[in-house]
Amino acid sequence: MKIFPTYLSQCDHSLFNIFKSEATVYFHWPFCKNICTFCNFNKYKRSENKLGQHFENKMENSLLRETQTIFGLTGVNKIKSIYFGGGTPSLAPPTTISRLIQCVKQLANTDEKIEITIECNPSSLNMTQKLEEYFKFGVNRVSVGLQSLDDKKLKILGRDHSANDGLMLLKQATEIFGSDSVSVDLLFRKPGDTIKSWENELIQMLEHKPHHVSLYELTPEKGTRLFRELKSGELTIPNENDTASMYLLAVKLLKESSLERYEISNFAKAGSRAQSLHNMSYWHGTQYLGIGPGAHSRIFPLDADLRESRIQTLDPQSWQDLVERDGHATRLCKQQNRLEVLSELLVTSLRTTKGTQPNRWNLFQPQYSMKDVFGAAEPLKFFYLNGYLRWGMNGSFQATDRGLNVVDAILPTVLNVLGEYHTRNKFSP
């Protein structure tokens, strides 16, 4: 089945084929020195007995082989960015990072200054040598997992570093990569957070003049130690009203420091090149190839116009065994229909200041424009009239600055409008 109906022009098909040829790559290194109390990502505690040289070599070889296989399933010939996440990818041997970068460059074209990012957790060890090696290998962006500047809260979160360790890593990374190429992660709604203590953390962080900040609301997830501690009453976190106040306070303070919000959790220095190009690709529907245990992909298989959702096997040992046998370890593979693709596009892009772009919408839905679907929808009138949603000059569908503050509350209505329109007009697959 084709995502495009037959009446589309050759020009439209050409644009779609170009779109299908481009992607980003995500590598997942699932091991950590310690497991954070709040984390529900696919991660495993690093054991020196298990993660010896032999095991790390097998991990590297499996990542290389799965990369080659997944690329071979697609028509991708240009990679726009590479991202190393986890887990803690800075625990991987630097040579593994280098070989994976070279593998991608051998399989596809890349721009000379392609964005290559690695997540780094602070530790009591000096990271300068590793950072210099990453830089030499072509990594040009670092995401520093600061999370908090309060040592007591870091301990509650299960972090194995101090606030000073985090600031030292930030300093080292900035000296090597430059301010525009370093991002800081902070959590709010932590146990023990108050509006005042959060303000103090923000002020302290801003004293170091970061050019990119990612703020994440801590969400208790089932299966985590933090969830159990909250449920038992051993710990408490701020209520919803205080959490909203913390977010609005952060937006205000970051703006006063010329850090502009370009996505609800991401802020970049005005006039800089600090925005994450990799994440922007995710948010605006570019296909991405996920390599490693538990990695997710959205890809167009060869000669197919329906996008696939893929998830790799979670357990590292099982993942390695499957890669050795089959060349890849995909455990779930599902064709996405047009409604699913459009829903994902709206959920991610409406969280950005750019909103949902018409050129990207039209690639996935050439039959009905966004104005057809959302322009006169009765359930959305409240959001238009009260300044939460708007139409941009280029025809983009956007949340306003006010709307971005509450976009998660707006999205269910937007998705319902899309679903009802789909039911009435029967989108083709």
Side-chain angles (χ1 to χ4, degrees), residues 103 159 229 317:
C103 179
R159 306 292 285 181
E229 290 173 337
Q317 187 60 62

Side-chain angles (χ1 to χ4, degrees), residues 205-396:
M205 180 268 294
L206 290 170
E207 288 174 353
H208 296 271
K209 303 186 186 309
H211 281 205
H212 191 281
V213 176
S214 297
L215 301 179
Y216 298 110
E217 177 186 333
L218 189 150
T219 304
E221 301 285 356
K222 286 185 178 181
T224 64
R225 181 178 135 195
L226 179 64
F227 183 88
R228 295 190 294 272
E229 290 173 337
L230 291 171
K231 192 172 183 180
S232 70
E234 184 180 345
L235 295 173
T236 60
I237 56 176
N239 61 38
E240 289 185 3
N241 287 337
D242 284 349
T243 300
S245 296
M246 289 176 185
Y247 177 71
L248 294 175
L249 173 64
V251 173
K252 175 179 177 292
L253 291 179
L254 293 174
K255 186 175 183 179
E256 288 172 355
S257 294
S258 299
L259 286 157
E260 296 181 344
R261 177 172 59 177
Y262 67 103
E263 192 268 347
I264 59 172
S265 296
N266 289 272
F267 303 75
K269 194 75 171 178
S272 73
R273 295 182 294 175
Q275 290 187 9
S276 169
L277 299 181
H278 184 85
N279 286 340
M280 288 289 281
S281 293
Y282 281 151
W283 299 327
H284 294 289
T286 300
Q287 64 177 331
Y288 51 95
L289 283 59
I291 312 297
H296 290 232
S297 299
R298 296 291 185 273
I299 63 173
F300 290 96
L302 277 170
D303 302 321
D305 287 341
L306 285 175
R307 195 172 73 174
E308 281 185 353
S309 167
R310 285 176 168 257
I311 304 176
Q312 306 310 99
T313 296
L314 296 170
D315 175 69
Q317 187 60 62
S318 300
W319 171 82
Q320 281 189 16
D321 293 342
L322 287 169
V323 172
E324 187 174 341
R325 188 190 75 186
D326 302 328
H328 69 92
T330 301
R331 71 182 180 97
L332 289 175
C333 180
K334 178 183 178 296
Q335 281 189 335
Q336 293 186 296
N337 62 40
R338 194 183 304 231
L339 179 61
E340 290 169 330
V341 173
L342 292 173
S343 295
E344 283 190 4
L345 178 64
L346 286 164
V347 165
T348 54
S349 61
L350 280 178
R351 287 187 164 94
T352 71
T353 53
K354 289 184 176 181
T356 310
Q357 298 294 301
N359 57 353
R360 192 52 52 92
W361 171 277
N362 292 339
L363 283 173
F364 294 124
Q365 174 48 281
Q367 190 175 0
Y368 303 107
S369 71
M370 286 192 291
K371 280 284 182 72
D372 291 334
V373 180
F374 304 112
E378 187 67 31
L380 296 179
K381 284 187 177 179
F382 171 84
F383 299 114
Y384 291 130
L385 292 174
N386 289 278
Y388 292 100
L389 291 174
R390 68 183 175 201
W391 293 93
M393 293 291 289
N394 66 342
S396 57

Side-chain angles (χ1 to χ4, degrees), residues 52-279:
Q53 187 67 46
H54 177 67
F55 187 85
E56 289 187 335
N57 287 342
K58 283 191 69 177
M59 278 295 299
E60 178 183 306
N61 291 334
S62 296
L63 286 166
L64 290 167
R65 187 172 181 199
E66 186 166 74
T67 302
Q68 294 163 346
T69 302
I70 297 296
F71 264 85
L73 298 174
T74 76
V76 170
N77 58 37
K78 182 176 182 180
I79 293 301
K80 302 176 74 174
S81 63
I82 302 171
Y83 193 101
F84 293 92
T88 309
S90 53
L91 291 178
T95 50
T96 295
I97 304 299
S98 173
R99 286 167 185 154
L100 290 170
I101 292 170
Q102 293 308 310
C103 179
V104 171
K105 290 185 173 183
Q106 288 167 8
L107 293 169
N109 297 318
T110 59
D111 291 333
E112 185 179 343
K113 295 184 178 180
I114 179 177
E115 181 184 272
I116 304 176
T117 306
I118 189 166
E119 294 176 353
C120 290
N121 280 347
S123 72
S124 57
L125 300 175
N126 189 300
M127 284 283 292
T128 300
Q129 182 177 347
K130 266 195 173 181
L131 292 172
E132 288 174 343
E133 287 185 273
Y134 296 149
F135 186 76
K136 181 177 68 176
F137 295 150
V139 174
N140 52 23
R141 187 179 176 91
V142 173
S143 178
V144 177
L146 211 60
Q147 310 309 354
S148 177
L149 290 172
D150 183 310
D151 285 343
K152 289 182 180 179
K153 291 172 186 174
L154 286 170
K155 188 173 182 179
I156 290 172
L157 296 174
R159 306 292 285 181
D160 63 350
H161 63 87
S162 69
N164 281 337
D165 292 334
L167 293 174
M168 176 61 71
L169 175 58
L170 174 60
K171 180 175 182 291
Q172 293 167 340
T174 301
E175 288 174 350
I176 293 169
F177 292 87
S179 297
D180 282 359
S181 300
V182 179
S183 178
V184 173
D185 287 1
L186 278 182
L187 283 171
F188 64 103
R189 203 192 184 197
K190 304 180 294 294
D193 269 354
T194 64
I195 294 173
K196 184 61 180 175
S197 71
W198 173 235
E199 181 180 24
N200 290 338
E201 281 196 66
L202 288 168
I203 290 171
Q204 186 181 353
M205 180 268 294
L206 290 170
E207 288 174 353
H208 296 271
K209 303 186 186 309
H211 281 205
H212 191 281
V213 176
S214 297
L215 301 179
Y216 298 110
E217 177 186 333
L218 189 150
T219 304
E221 301 285 356
K222 286 185 178 181
T224 64
R225 181 178 135 195
L226 179 64
F227 183 88
R228 295 190 294 272
E229 290 173 337
L230 291 171
K231 192 172 183 180
S232 70
E234 184 180 345
L235 295 173
T236 60
I237 56 176
N239 61 38
E240 289 185 3
N241 287 337
D242 284 349
T243 300
S245 296
M246 289 176 185
Y247 177 71
L248 294 175
L249 173 64
V251 173
K252 175 179 177 292
L253 291 179
L254 293 174
K255 186 175 183 179
E256 288 172 355
S257 294
S258 299
L259 286 157
E260 296 181 344
R261 177 172 59 177
Y262 67 103
E263 192 268 347
I264 59 172
S265 296
N266 289 272
F267 303 75
K269 194 75 171 178
S272 73
R273 295 182 294 175
Q275 290 187 9
S276 169
L277 299 181
H278 184 85
N279 286 340

Side-chain angles (χ1 to χ4, degrees), residues 397-412:
F397 182 42
Q398 302 172 344
T400 63
D401 200 47
R402 183 184 186 190
L404 285 171
N405 295 332
V406 292
V407 72
D408 284 344
I410 298 172
L411 280 168

